[in-house]
Protein backbone atom coordinates (compact mmCIF):
# COMPACT_ATOMS: atom_id res chain seq x y z
CA UNK A 1 0.00 0.00 0.00
CA UNK A 2 1.57 3.33 -1.12
CA UNK A 3 1.46 6.19 1.36
CA UNK A 4 0.53 9.70 0.26
CA UNK A 5 0.95 12.76 2.49
CA UNK A 6 -0.92 15.98 1.68
CA UNK A 7 -0.23 19.47 3.02
CA UNK A 8 -3.46 21.47 2.72
CA UNK A 9 -5.47 18.24 3.00
CA UNK A 10 -8.56 20.13 4.23
CA UNK A 11 -8.53 22.57 1.29
CA UNK A 12 -10.62 22.27 -1.88
CA UNK A 13 -8.03 20.22 -3.80
CA UNK A 14 -6.84 18.31 -0.73
CA UNK A 15 -10.31 16.89 -0.19
CA UNK A 16 -10.83 15.67 -3.79
CA UNK A 17 -7.27 14.38 -3.95
CA UNK A 18 -7.80 12.40 -0.74
CA UNK A 19 -10.97 10.82 -2.13
CA UNK A 20 -9.22 9.80 -5.37
CA UNK A 21 -6.18 8.39 -3.54
CA UNK A 22 -8.30 6.36 -1.11
CA UNK A 23 -10.35 4.94 -3.98
CA UNK A 24 -7.07 3.89 -5.65
CA UNK A 25 -5.88 2.06 -2.50
CA UNK A 26 -3.40 4.61 -1.12
CA UNK A 27 -2.97 5.20 2.59
CA UNK A 28 -3.46 8.94 3.11
CA UNK A 29 -2.14 11.36 5.73
CA UNK A 30 -2.02 15.13 5.89
CA UNK A 31 -1.09 18.30 7.67
CA UNK A 32 -3.79 20.48 9.26
CA UNK A 33 -2.91 23.76 10.90
CA UNK A 34 -4.28 25.02 14.15
CA UNK A 35 -7.42 27.15 13.89
CA UNK A 36 -9.54 28.85 16.53
CA UNK A 37 -12.62 27.45 14.74
CA UNK A 38 -11.48 23.85 14.57
CA UNK A 39 -15.09 22.65 14.37
CA UNK A 40 -15.54 24.21 10.89
CA UNK A 41 -12.04 23.86 9.59
CA UNK A 42 -12.19 20.27 8.39
CA UNK A 43 -15.72 20.28 6.94
CA UNK A 44 -14.40 19.20 3.51
CA UNK A 45 -12.75 16.05 4.89
CA UNK A 46 -14.97 15.10 7.83
CA UNK A 47 -16.51 12.30 5.72
CA UNK A 48 -13.01 10.84 5.26
CA UNK A 49 -11.96 11.07 8.91
CA UNK A 50 -11.86 7.30 9.54
CA UNK A 51 -9.66 6.65 6.51
CA UNK A 52 -6.95 9.28 7.01
CA UNK A 53 -4.31 10.27 9.55
CA UNK A 54 -3.90 13.98 10.20
CA UNK A 55 -1.07 15.82 11.94
CA UNK A 56 -1.16 19.32 13.36
CA UNK A 57 1.43 21.49 11.66
CA UNK A 58 2.16 24.60 9.67
CA UNK A 59 4.38 25.07 6.62
CA UNK A 60 6.07 27.96 8.42
CA UNK A 61 7.17 25.59 11.20
CA UNK A 62 9.63 23.13 9.63
CA UNK A 63 9.79 21.06 12.81
CA UNK A 64 6.10 20.21 12.39
CA UNK A 65 6.69 19.00 8.82
CA UNK A 66 9.69 16.96 10.01
CA UNK A 67 7.66 15.27 12.75
CA UNK A 68 4.80 14.37 10.41
CA UNK A 69 7.10 12.99 7.71
CA UNK A 70 9.10 10.93 10.24
CA UNK A 71 5.91 9.47 11.67
CA UNK A 72 4.02 8.85 8.41
CA UNK A 73 6.95 7.80 6.14
CA UNK A 74 5.28 8.80 2.83
CA UNK A 75 6.10 7.58 -0.67
CA UNK A 76 4.28 10.56 -2.20
CA UNK A 77 3.96 14.13 -0.92
CA UNK A 78 1.51 16.65 -2.36
CA UNK A 79 2.41 20.17 -1.26
CA UNK A 80 -0.95 21.93 -1.65
CA UNK A 81 -0.90 24.17 1.44
CA UNK A 82 -0.86 27.86 0.59
CA UNK A 83 -2.35 31.29 1.14
CA UNK A 84 -4.18 30.78 -2.14
CA UNK A 85 -6.16 34.02 -2.58
CA UNK A 86 -4.62 36.40 -5.12
CA UNK A 87 -6.32 39.64 -4.08
CA UNK A 88 -5.64 38.98 -0.40
CA UNK A 89 -1.97 38.45 -1.23
CA UNK A 90 -1.80 42.23 -1.87
CA UNK A 91 -3.00 42.77 1.73
CA UNK A 92 -0.67 40.10 3.18
CA UNK A 93 2.37 39.94 0.89
CA UNK A 94 4.90 38.87 3.52
CA UNK A 95 2.66 36.18 5.00
CA UNK A 96 1.92 34.92 1.48
CA UNK A 97 5.67 34.64 0.77
CA UNK A 98 6.34 32.99 4.14
CA UNK A 99 3.80 30.23 3.49
CA UNK A 100 3.92 29.80 -0.28
CA UNK A 101 7.65 30.34 -0.87
CA UNK A 102 9.53 29.50 2.33
CA UNK A 103 6.89 26.98 3.35
CA UNK A 104 7.54 25.08 0.12
CA UNK A 105 11.28 25.35 0.75
CA UNK A 106 10.71 23.88 4.22
CA UNK A 107 8.89 20.93 2.65
CA UNK A 108 11.69 20.29 0.14
CA UNK A 109 14.36 20.58 2.87
CA UNK A 110 12.44 18.13 5.07
CA UNK A 111 12.11 15.70 2.17
CA UNK A 112 15.84 15.99 1.42
CA UNK A 113 16.70 15.19 5.04
CA UNK A 114 14.02 12.64 5.95
CA UNK A 115 12.62 10.87 2.87
CA UNK A 116 14.71 11.75 -0.21
CA UNK A 117 13.19 8.87 -2.18
CA UNK A 118 9.67 10.27 -1.85
CA UNK A 119 8.03 11.80 -4.92
CA UNK A 120 6.86 15.39 -4.43
CA UNK A 121 4.09 17.34 -6.18
CA UNK A 122 4.37 21.14 -5.95
CA UNK A 123 1.12 23.06 -6.47
CA UNK A 124 2.29 25.64 -8.99
CA UNK A 125 -0.07 28.07 -10.64
CA UNK A 126 -0.98 29.74 -13.92
CA UNK A 127 -0.84 32.98 -11.90
CA UNK A 128 2.97 32.68 -12.36
CA UNK A 129 2.54 33.62 -16.05
CA UNK A 130 1.08 36.99 -15.08
CA UNK A 131 1.13 39.39 -18.01
CA UNK A 132 2.86 36.94 -20.34
CA UNK A 133 0.90 35.28 -23.19
CA UNK A 134 2.27 33.52 -26.29
CA UNK A 135 1.36 35.05 -29.69
CA UNK A 136 -1.34 32.36 -30.18
CA UNK A 137 -3.09 33.55 -26.96
CA UNK A 138 -2.09 30.51 -24.87
CA UNK A 139 0.24 29.95 -21.92
CA UNK A 140 2.24 26.73 -21.84
CA UNK A 141 5.30 25.24 -20.10
CA UNK A 142 7.67 27.33 -22.25
CA UNK A 143 5.85 30.67 -21.81
CA UNK A 144 7.84 33.35 -19.96
CA UNK A 145 6.70 33.98 -16.40
CA UNK A 146 6.06 37.59 -15.35
CA UNK A 147 3.77 37.40 -12.29
CA UNK A 148 1.63 40.42 -11.42
CA UNK A 149 0.67 39.65 -7.80
CA UNK A 150 2.49 38.83 -4.55
CA UNK A 151 0.79 35.42 -4.80
CA UNK A 152 2.16 34.84 -8.31
CA UNK A 153 5.64 35.92 -7.20
CA UNK A 154 5.52 33.62 -4.17
CA UNK A 155 4.51 30.65 -6.34
CA UNK A 156 7.25 31.43 -8.86
CA UNK A 157 9.83 31.16 -6.08
CA UNK A 158 8.45 27.75 -5.04
CA UNK A 159 8.35 26.57 -8.67
CA UNK A 160 11.95 27.67 -9.20
CA UNK A 161 13.35 26.18 -5.98
CA UNK A 162 11.52 22.91 -6.79
CA UNK A 163 13.38 22.74 -10.12
CA UNK A 164 16.60 23.71 -8.39
CA UNK A 165 16.27 20.95 -5.76
CA UNK A 166 15.42 18.44 -8.49
CA UNK A 167 18.66 19.25 -10.35
CA UNK A 168 20.90 19.89 -7.36
CA UNK A 169 19.91 16.98 -5.12
CA UNK A 170 18.21 14.54 -7.49
CA UNK A 171 14.85 14.84 -5.70
CA UNK A 172 11.74 13.71 -7.58
CA UNK A 173 9.78 16.98 -7.53
CA UNK A 174 7.18 17.77 -10.19
CA UNK A 175 5.41 21.08 -10.71
CA UNK A 176 1.76 20.95 -11.72
CA UNK A 177 1.11 24.36 -13.31
CA UNK A 178 -2.63 24.34 -12.83
CA UNK A 179 -5.04 26.86 -14.27
CA UNK A 180 -8.07 27.94 -12.21
CA UNK A 181 -10.14 25.05 -10.94
CA UNK A 182 -13.33 25.21 -8.96
CA UNK A 183 -15.97 22.97 -7.43
CA UNK A 184 -18.84 22.98 -4.93
CA UNK A 185 -16.06 22.98 -2.28
CA UNK A 186 -14.50 26.23 -3.54
CA UNK A 187 -13.99 28.98 -0.94
CA UNK A 188 -16.84 31.50 -1.24
CA UNK A 189 -14.52 34.46 -1.86
CA UNK A 190 -13.29 33.10 -5.21
CA UNK A 191 -15.19 34.44 -8.17
CA UNK A 192 -17.09 31.32 -9.35
CA UNK A 193 -18.40 30.44 -5.89
CA UNK A 194 -19.18 34.10 -5.16
CA UNK A 195 -21.26 34.46 -8.36
CA UNK A 196 -23.10 31.15 -7.82
CA UNK A 197 -23.91 31.99 -4.22
CA UNK A 198 -24.81 35.60 -5.09
CA UNK A 199 -27.19 34.56 -7.89
CA UNK A 200 -28.87 31.98 -5.62
CA UNK A 201 -29.26 34.60 -2.86
CA UNK A 202 -31.05 36.80 -5.42
CA UNK A 203 -33.20 33.96 -6.77
CA UNK A 204 -34.35 33.09 -3.24
CA UNK A 205 -35.02 36.72 -2.32
CA UNK A 206 -32.25 37.14 0.25
CA UNK A 207 -30.81 40.16 -1.57
CA UNK A 208 -31.16 41.97 -4.88
CA UNK A 209 -27.58 42.99 -5.71
CA UNK A 210 -24.21 41.31 -6.14
CA UNK A 211 -21.10 43.48 -5.77
CA UNK A 212 -18.30 42.45 -8.10
CA UNK A 213 -14.85 43.60 -9.18
CA UNK A 214 -13.37 43.45 -12.68
CA UNK A 215 -15.72 41.70 -15.13
CA UNK A 216 -13.35 42.04 -18.08
CA UNK A 217 -10.66 39.51 -17.11
CA UNK A 218 -10.56 36.02 -18.65
CA UNK A 219 -9.84 32.73 -16.91
CA UNK A 220 -9.56 29.08 -18.02
CA UNK A 221 -11.81 27.35 -15.48
CA UNK A 222 -11.81 23.58 -14.85
CA UNK A 223 -13.07 21.25 -12.09
CA UNK A 224 -10.96 20.40 -9.03
CA UNK A 225 -12.00 16.74 -9.22
CA UNK A 226 -10.52 16.45 -12.75
CA UNK A 227 -7.36 18.40 -11.88
CA UNK A 228 -6.54 16.40 -8.74
CA UNK A 229 -6.61 13.22 -10.86
CA UNK A 230 -3.90 14.82 -13.01
CA UNK A 231 -1.80 15.43 -9.86
CA UNK A 232 -1.75 11.68 -9.13
CA UNK A 233 -0.89 10.84 -12.73
CA UNK A 234 1.96 13.35 -12.65
CA UNK A 235 3.60 11.73 -9.62
CA UNK A 236 3.17 8.28 -11.16
CA UNK A 237 4.97 9.35 -14.34
CA UNK A 238 8.42 7.79 -14.69
CA UNK A 239 10.30 11.13 -14.55
CA UNK A 240 9.68 14.38 -12.68
CA UNK A 241 8.12 16.95 -15.01
CA UNK A 242 6.64 20.44 -15.05
CA UNK A 243 3.21 20.22 -16.62
CA UNK A 244 0.37 22.62 -17.47
CA UNK A 245 -3.15 21.39 -16.65
CA UNK A 246 -6.01 23.38 -18.16
CA UNK A 247 -9.17 23.09 -20.25
CA UNK A 248 -7.80 25.25 -23.07
CA UNK A 249 -10.87 27.50 -23.09
CA UNK A 250 -10.97 31.04 -21.71
CA UNK A 251 -14.14 32.80 -20.53
CA UNK A 252 -14.61 36.29 -19.13
CA UNK A 253 -15.96 37.00 -15.65
CA UNK A 254 -18.87 38.75 -17.42
CA UNK A 255 -19.64 35.51 -19.30
CA UNK A 256 -19.46 33.60 -16.02
CA UNK A 257 -22.09 35.94 -14.54
CA UNK A 258 -24.26 35.64 -17.63
CA UNK A 259 -24.23 31.81 -17.65
CA UNK A 260 -24.95 31.44 -13.92
CA UNK A 261 -27.71 34.08 -13.79
CA UNK A 262 -29.34 32.80 -17.01
CA UNK A 263 -29.34 29.24 -15.69
CA UNK A 264 -31.31 30.48 -12.69
CA UNK A 265 -33.73 32.46 -14.87
CA UNK A 266 -32.17 35.83 -14.02
CA UNK A 267 -30.52 38.66 -15.98
CA UNK A 268 -27.12 39.53 -14.49
CA UNK A 269 -27.23 43.15 -15.69
CA UNK A 270 -30.24 43.75 -13.39
CA UNK A 271 -28.29 42.71 -10.29
CA UNK A 272 -24.50 42.94 -10.67
CA UNK A 273 -22.96 46.21 -9.48
CA UNK A 274 -19.29 47.12 -9.56
CA UNK A 275 -17.43 47.87 -6.34
CA UNK A 276 -13.83 49.01 -6.73
CA UNK A 277 -12.86 47.29 -3.50
CA UNK A 278 -12.84 43.95 -5.37
CA UNK A 279 -10.32 45.18 -7.97
CA UNK A 280 -6.66 44.21 -7.62
CA UNK A 281 -3.86 46.81 -7.62
CA UNK A 282 -2.59 44.97 -10.73
CA UNK A 283 -4.89 42.61 -12.64
CA UNK A 284 -3.95 39.52 -14.61
CA UNK A 285 -6.16 40.05 -17.66
CA UNK A 286 -6.01 36.78 -19.58
CA UNK A 287 -5.35 33.10 -18.84
CA UNK A 288 -5.80 30.28 -21.34
CA UNK A 289 -3.69 27.15 -20.93
CA UNK A 290 -2.30 24.81 -23.56
CA UNK A 291 -2.12 21.44 -21.75
CA UNK A 292 -1.08 19.36 -24.81
CA UNK A 293 2.10 18.12 -23.09
CA UNK A 294 0.24 16.94 -19.98
CA UNK A 295 -2.62 15.34 -21.92
CA UNK A 296 -0.19 13.30 -24.02
CA UNK A 297 2.30 12.38 -21.28
CA UNK A 298 -0.30 11.56 -18.61
CA UNK A 299 -3.23 10.40 -20.78
CA UNK A 300 -5.35 12.97 -18.95
CA UNK A 301 -8.51 14.67 -20.18
CA UNK A 302 -10.96 16.78 -18.17
CA UNK A 303 -14.50 15.45 -17.84
CA UNK A 304 -16.17 18.73 -16.91
CA UNK A 305 -16.75 21.68 -19.24
CA UNK A 306 -17.21 25.31 -18.14
CA UNK A 307 -20.99 24.81 -18.25
CA UNK A 308 -21.11 21.44 -16.42
CA UNK A 309 -18.71 22.76 -13.76
CA UNK A 310 -21.05 25.69 -13.06
CA UNK A 311 -24.14 23.46 -13.06
CA UNK A 312 -22.43 21.15 -10.54
CA UNK A 313 -21.72 24.15 -8.31
CA UNK A 314 -25.24 25.59 -8.69
CA UNK A 315 -26.91 22.25 -7.92
CA UNK A 316 -24.78 21.61 -4.83
CA UNK A 317 -25.06 25.18 -3.47
CA UNK A 318 -28.83 25.21 -4.10
CA UNK A 319 -29.35 22.33 -1.65
CA UNK A 320 -28.75 24.83 1.18
CA UNK A 321 -31.71 26.93 0.00
CA UNK A 322 -34.29 24.15 -0.41
P1 LIG B 1 -7.45 26.20 -0.64
O1 LIG B 1 -8.81 25.64 -0.73
O2 LIG B 1 -7.25 27.61 -0.24
O3 LIG B 1 -6.60 25.24 0.34
C1 LIG B 1 -5.36 25.66 0.87
C2 LIG B 1 -4.99 24.73 2.00
O4 LIG B 1 -3.73 25.15 2.56
C3 LIG B 1 -5.99 24.71 3.17
O5 LIG B 1 -6.10 23.40 3.64
C4 LIG B 1 -5.31 25.60 4.21
O6 LIG B 1 -5.71 25.33 5.53
C5 LIG B 1 -3.87 25.19 3.99
N1 LIG B 1 -2.90 26.14 4.53
C6 LIG B 1 -2.86 27.48 4.32
N2 LIG B 1 -1.80 28.02 4.96
C7 LIG B 1 -1.16 26.99 5.59
C8 LIG B 1 0.00 26.91 6.39
N3 LIG B 1 0.71 27.98 6.71
N4 LIG B 1 0.38 25.70 6.86
C9 LIG B 1 -0.35 24.58 6.57
N5 LIG B 1 -1.47 24.61 5.81
C10 LIG B 1 -1.87 25.80 5.31
O7 LIG B 1 -6.70 26.04 -2.06
P2 LIG B 1 -6.96 24.98 -3.25
O8 LIG B 1 -7.86 25.60 -4.25
O9 LIG B 1 -7.27 23.66 -2.66
O10 LIG B 1 -5.52 24.94 -3.92
C11 LIG B 1 -4.53 24.00 -3.51
C12 LIG B 1 -3.16 24.48 -3.94
O11 LIG B 1 -3.12 24.64 -5.35
C13 LIG B 1 -2.74 25.82 -3.36
O12 LIG B 1 -1.34 25.78 -3.16
C14 LIG B 1 -3.06 26.81 -4.47
O13 LIG B 1 -2.26 27.96 -4.35
C15 LIG B 1 -2.72 25.98 -5.68
N6 LIG B 1 -3.46 26.30 -6.91
C16 LIG B 1 -4.82 26.39 -6.88
C17 LIG B 1 -5.49 26.65 -8.06
C18 LIG B 1 -7.00 26.77 -8.07
O14 LIG B 1 -7.53 27.36 -9.02
N7 LIG B 1 -7.70 26.21 -7.09
C19 LIG B 1 -4.78 26.81 -9.27
C20 LIG B 1 -3.39 26.68 -9.25
C21 LIG B 1 -2.73 26.42 -8.06
P3 LIG B 1 -6.89 26.23 6.23
O15 LIG B 1 -8.16 25.85 5.53
O16 LIG B 1 -6.84 25.80 7.64
O17 LIG B 1 -6.54 27.65 5.98
N1 LIG C 1 -12.38 36.76 -6.02
C1 LIG C 1 -13.04 37.67 -6.79
N2 LIG C 1 -14.07 38.38 -6.25
N3 LIG C 1 -12.63 37.82 -8.07
C2 LIG C 1 -13.31 38.72 -8.83
C3 LIG C 1 -14.38 39.48 -8.35
C4 LIG C 1 -14.79 39.31 -7.00
O1 LIG C 1 -15.71 39.95 -6.49
N4 LIG C 1 -14.84 40.26 -9.36
C5 LIG C 1 -14.08 40.01 -10.43
N5 LIG C 1 -13.14 39.09 -10.12
C6 LIG C 1 -12.09 38.58 -11.03
C7 LIG C 1 -10.67 38.73 -10.48
O2 LIG C 1 -10.23 40.09 -10.62
C8 LIG C 1 -9.94 37.76 -11.39
O3 LIG C 1 -9.62 38.37 -12.62
C9 LIG C 1 -10.98 36.65 -11.63
O4 LIG C 1 -12.24 37.19 -11.21
C10 LIG C 1 -10.72 35.35 -10.87
O5 LIG C 1 -10.53 35.66 -9.49
P1 LIG C 1 -10.44 34.49 -8.38
O6 LIG C 1 -11.59 33.57 -8.49
O7 LIG C 1 -10.20 35.16 -7.07
O8 LIG C 1 -9.17 33.62 -8.85
P2 LIG C 1 -7.71 34.04 -9.33
O9 LIG C 1 -7.63 33.83 -10.80
O10 LIG C 1 -7.30 35.35 -8.80
O11 LIG C 1 -6.81 32.94 -8.57
C11 LIG C 1 -7.17 31.57 -8.58
O12 LIG C 1 -6.57 30.91 -9.66
C12 LIG C 1 -5.14 30.81 -9.60
C13 LIG C 1 -4.69 30.06 -10.88
O13 LIG C 1 -4.68 30.92 -11.97
C14 LIG C 1 -6.75 30.98 -7.22
O14 LIG C 1 -7.31 29.69 -7.08
C15 LIG C 1 -5.24 30.84 -7.11
O15 LIG C 1 -4.91 30.11 -5.92
C16 LIG C 1 -4.76 30.06 -8.34
O16 LIG C 1 -3.35 29.86 -8.30
Amino acid sequence: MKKAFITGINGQDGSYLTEHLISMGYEVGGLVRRSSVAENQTYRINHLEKDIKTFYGDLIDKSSIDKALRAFKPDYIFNLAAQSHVRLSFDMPAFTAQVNSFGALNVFESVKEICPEARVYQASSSEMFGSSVDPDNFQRETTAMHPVSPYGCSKLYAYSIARNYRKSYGLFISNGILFNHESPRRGKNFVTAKVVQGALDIKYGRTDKLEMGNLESFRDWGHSSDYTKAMIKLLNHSEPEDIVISTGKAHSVKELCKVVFNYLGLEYKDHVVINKKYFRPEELPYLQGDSKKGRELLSWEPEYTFKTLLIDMINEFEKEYL
Side-chain angles (χ1 to χ4, degrees), residues 10-13 33 41 58-59 80 82 84 151 155 178 181:
N10 57 316
Q12 169 188 250
D13 288 1
R33 63 182 175 152
Q41 194 193 13
D58 194 300
L59 283 205
L80 308 187
S84 71
Y151 170 85
K155 284 286 182 179
L178 271 49
H181 46 280

Side-chain angles (χ1 to χ4, degrees), residues 133-171:
V133 191
D134 282 354
D136 64 356
N137 282 336
F138 283 90
Q139 288 105 348
R140 47 180 62 84
E141 292 82 2
T142 49
T143 306
M145 293 179 179
H146 298 302
V148 294
S149 64
Y151 170 85
C153 295
S154 73
K155 284 286 182 179
L156 183 53
Y157 174 85
Y159 166 85
S160 307
I161 201 76
R163 287 161 61 97
N164 174 245
Y165 270 45
R166 185 161 79 206
K167 275 257 182 192
S168 303
Y169 305 117
L171 298 183

